Amino acid sequence: MDGSPQARAALRWAAEYAAQVGSSVWAVAAWQPPESGWGDDTPPVVLEGDFEHDAARWLHDAVATVPGPAPAGTVVEGDPAHVLLDTAETAALLVLGNHGRGALSEVLLGSVARRCVRHARCPVLLVPAAEDGPPNGGSRGA
């Protein structure tokens, strides 16, 4: 969960799918303080903010939009791709939000999604935000 419409759409999709196949969903919000630096000779500066609180709020807000039983979830400090890949070690499916940019979506795939697609030990499903529409102009049926 990163607070994006795509992440919320992915959670809703995962919850609906899990209900159909009799499985469960584990929602994860990963966070790490961003760093800012001016180059190799300058030490990075950790930017101020309550990033853990923001991640917890994103997770809580997203879980609240899921109809039916609330998915379980956790907030974890760490690189989002590493956290997701570690969490998915025993998963049957990793569901992520996708920017849904049509024909360019593969080229513009976010760095976290790209790393997860390349390194996950389970299948990865990318879900666009509902307002993005279906990928490649297809229909929502089927």
Side-chain angles (χ1 to χ4, degrees), residues 26-57:
W26 187 259
V28 178
W31 69 275
Q32 69 182 140
E35 295 181 350
S36 175
W38 294 99
D40 293 337
D41 297 334
T42 305
V45 175
V46 176
L47 302 175
E48 298 286 329
D50 192 349
F51 303 106
E52 183 174 16
H53 174 72
D54 291 343
R57 184 174 40 81

Side-chain angles (χ1 to χ4, degrees), residues 26-105:
W26 187 259
V28 178
W31 69 275
Q32 69 182 140
E35 295 181 350
S36 175
W38 294 99
D40 293 337
D41 297 334
T42 305
V45 175
V46 176
L47 302 175
E48 298 286 329
D50 192 349
F51 303 106
E52 183 174 16
H53 174 72
D54 291 343
R57 184 174 40 81
W58 295 334
L59 181 63
H60 176 269
D61 291 350
V63 166
T65 69
V66 175
T74 189
V75 177
V76 179
E77 181 179 4
D79 172 71
H82 287 143
V83 169
L84 291 169
L85 289 167
D86 288 347
T87 302
E89 280 288 322
T90 59
L93 179 66
L94 176 59
V95 181
L96 302 173
N98 185 24
H99 295 290
R101 295 182 175 124
L104 294 177
S105 63

